[in-house]
Amino acid sequence: MIRILLADDEAMMRAGLRAILGSDPALEVVAEAGDGRQAVDLAISHRPDVALLDIRMPRLDGLAAAAEIRRVAPETAVVMLTTFGEDDYIAKALDFGAGGFLLKSGDPRELIAGIHAVAEGAAYLSPKVAQRVIAQLAGGRMTRGAAARDRIESLTEREREVLALLGAGLSNAEIARRLHIVEGTVKAYVSAILTRLDVRNRVQAAIIAHEAGLVA
């Protein structure tokens, strides 16, 4: 069972999201918040597996709430949900530690898939968001590629293997099966990779893996 904290300042939107999530028996909404500050408080008290946060909320917006939740409840993964697809929102959400970014205009199946992916330790971007990220990568691939290759120089051979699989979108469990190691070891490798690359989350690490040419 994946325990979810749902935060959106619109009660009707929360009801709709709860109904979509309730269609999957593996998902359970354990708490609801109407603003970002309440979301942080509920994350501390309920320790959900995933916090699904709207970006625009009163008292504390979703971006600030994401950063705070990642600080006070690091075991809780964060998925951002918004009606806006501007590049600056995407960049800020990833920088603040979000593991997923979904648009409210997307297919409800994307929401369920994104929750599962992030809960399993993978990253998830809705197709429209992924297109924007890929376009940004393509726009400056040569310059960023050289910088990314320099950054991965500090990684061991095994850490590079893990980073490549992470960049391909595999979860910790899938990486463990692929490399024939236990999932706890994968988590340790991922933590070390994030530290060595000086990034906050798997999405940023995955981007470096692509830029460095570890992922086709």
Side-chain angles (χ1 to χ4, degrees):
M1 182 66 71
I2 298 173
R3 303 171 66 254
I4 303 167
L5 162 63
L6 178 60
D8 194 296
D9 60 330
E10 297 183 18
M12 188 174 294
M13 179 59 68
R14 291 200 306 273
L17 292 171
R18 187 170 61 249
I20 293 172
L21 297 171
S23 67
D24 186 332
L27 306 180
E28 178 187 11
V29 176
V30 296
E32 294 186 28
D35 61 66
R37 175 51 57 193
Q38 186 182 22
V40 174
D41 293 339
L42 290 173
I44 295 173
S45 60
H46 287 269
R47 301 289 172 172
D49 300 303
V50 177
L52 181 61
L53 309 177
D54 184 27
I55 282 187
R56 292 197 172 184
M57 292 188 292
R59 296 182 67 196
L60 193 68
D61 66 32
L63 296 174
E68 186 69 7
I69 289 173
R70 294 298 297 152
R71 186 182 68 83
V72 301
E75 71 280 8
T76 298
V78 173
V79 174
M80 305 305 304
L81 184 66
T82 182
T83 55
F84 306 91
E86 291 86 350
D87 295 346
D88 59 339
Y89 280 130
I90 299 170
K92 288 179 181 177
L94 301 180
D95 189 50
F96 286 173
F101 196 103
L102 299 168
L103 300 179
K104 289 181 179 179
S105 58
D107 190 308
R109 289 172 294 184
E110 291 178 19
L111 174 62
I112 293 176
I115 293 292
H116 276 279
V118 173
E120 293 169 5
Y124 190 92
L125 300 177
S126 73
K128 289 183 179 180
V129 173
Q131 288 175 359
R132 291 176 180 269
V133 173
I134 290 171
Q136 290 176 355
L137 290 177
R141 183 175 295 144
M142 292 183 65
T143 300
R144 285 196 292 267
R149 286 190 292 274
D150 286 340
R151 293 181 75 173
I152 67 171
E153 282 296 318
S154 64
L155 303 181
T156 66
E157 183 176 348
R158 178 61 100 179
E159 286 170 344
R160 292 189 194 189
E161 287 184 275
V162 173
L163 177 60
L165 295 174
L166 184 156
L170 274 65
S171 67
N172 287 346
E174 290 169 331
I175 294 173
R177 288 194 294 270
R178 184 74 63 88
L179 298 180
H180 306 291
I181 57 179
V182 299
E183 188 172 349
T185 301
V186 174
K187 290 181 179 179
Y189 277 126
V190 171
S191 179
I193 289 169
L194 298 184
T195 299
R196 289 176 185 268
L197 296 181
D198 192 26
V199 295
R200 285 190 171 188
N201 55 57
R202 297 172 69 98
V203 175
Q204 293 173 328
I207 289 173
I208 292 175
H210 281 268
E211 291 176 340
L214 295 180
V215 184

